Amino acid sequence: MKYEWRKEEKKFYGAKEKVEIVESPKQQFIMIDGIGNPNETNFSNKVSVLYSLAYSIKMLYKNMMKEEKDTEIKDFTVYPLEGIWKKLEEEKLDKSKLKYTIMIKQPNFITQKNFSDALEVVKKKKLSILYDKIYFNSIEEGKSIQVLHIGSYDDEPKSFEQLNEFARKLDLRRIGDFHKEIYLSNKNR
């Protein structure tokens, strides 16, 4: 059986255009940090190495499960790219001064050893110093509010205002000066 996050985790990856509250459990990710403009080559290179590793983890797991008789899940769909964003300065947005962590969620059955093994494989196939910057970590977000943003990244402040207004109405407060994005579709389409 193949684990399909689109079906199994709709409440996290099925955001709606109406703001809603979600409760996120502890989740594990492959992650890489950076500072700078997401329109620059360095950011694209980081996305590329993350996806290369994510697919390497998937394929190693799938090959490992071919011989397993006791495990029901033999394969999984790679999750979408996600990012945690923070402005380094409070003034007007300067994209060159954005701090970020981009990441791809991993199913709960993927282990640190799976990550390490796949990392060694992908390092041999595709040379990049960026692989040494990727790490495996867990995040427990707890209660969050989310909304589906459709449109340009430059139009995101409209969605942020929707979230802020919803939080004000329910007397909720932010616990940090960052936000998380999940990229459900290809930005080039």
Side-chain angles (χ1 to χ4, degrees):
M1 180 174 99
K2 185 174 187 175
Y3 183 79
E4 297 279 356
W5 57 265
R6 287 177 187 92
K7 293 176 186 170
E8 303 295 328
E9 300 179 49
K10 284 182 185 179
K11 64 182 172 182
F12 307 119
Y13 296 98
K16 298 176 180 44
E17 291 182 66
K18 182 180 175 191
V19 180
E20 62 186 344
I21 296 175
V22 292
E23 187 81 28
S24 299
K26 188 173 186 178
Q27 302 172 67
Q28 55 190 23
F29 297 87
I30 55 173
M31 310 167 100
I32 190 168
D33 302 321
I35 295 175
N37 188 329
N39 297 312
E40 301 291 327
T41 304
N42 188 39
F43 181 81
S44 297
N45 291 342
K46 288 179 180 178
V47 171
S48 180
V49 296
L50 267 181
Y51 270 110
S52 292
L53 179 56
Y55 279 97
S56 180
I57 292 170
K58 169 193 167 54
M59 293 313 296
L60 278 177
Y61 180 82
K62 184 176 177 178
N63 289 335
M64 194 172 70
M65 290 300 109
K66 284 181 182 175
E67 305 302 318
E68 281 290 323
K69 304 240 187 287
D70 299 334
T71 305
E72 188 176 316
I73 298 174
K74 306 283 187 186
D75 191 9
F76 63 93
T77 303
V78 171
Y79 285 80
L81 182 71
E82 302 184 33
I84 297 174
W85 295 90
K86 179 179 181 176
K87 291 193 306 186
L88 292 178
E89 297 176 358
E90 285 302 314
E91 297 101 44
K92 187 178 144 190
L93 176 63
D94 178 353
K95 289 184 181 180
S96 69
K97 294 181 180 165
L98 289 171
K99 182 177 180 182
Y100 60 83
T101 299
I102 53 174
M103 54 202 174
I104 299 174
K105 184 176 173 184
Q106 298 300 298
N108 292 336
F109 49 82
I110 295 299
T111 65
Q112 177 71 44
K113 180 168 178 11
N114 297 138
F115 163 76
S116 299
D117 291 349
L119 187 58
E120 290 308 310
V121 169
V122 80
K123 279 179 166 180
K124 291 175 187 171
K125 288 183 179 180
K126 296 183 177 189
L127 298 178
S128 176
I129 60 169
L130 292 174
Y131 286 115
D132 292 328
K133 298 182 186 298
I134 299 174
Y135 56 99
F136 188 73
N137 199 10
S138 296
I139 297 175
E140 188 166 356
E141 294 172 21
K143 185 188 284 187
S144 303
I145 54 176
Q146 72 177 12
V147 68
L148 177 64
H149 173 77
I150 299 173
S152 164
Y153 294 120
D154 292 333
D155 293 336
E156 283 182 327
K158 293 175 189 171
S159 293
F160 296 150
E161 187 48 45
Q162 281 183 282
L163 294 168
N164 290 336
E165 180 62 28
F166 183 85
R168 276 192 294 274
K169 284 181 181 175
L170 295 178
D171 199 27
L172 300 173
R173 64 177 176 78
R174 294 182 74 112
I175 60 164
D177 58 350
F178 59 90
H179 74 277
K180 181 178 173 189
E181 298 178 355
I182 302 173
Y183 308 100
L184 297 174
S185 62
N186 185 332
K187 71 175 185 155
N188 298 320
R189 287 191 222 153

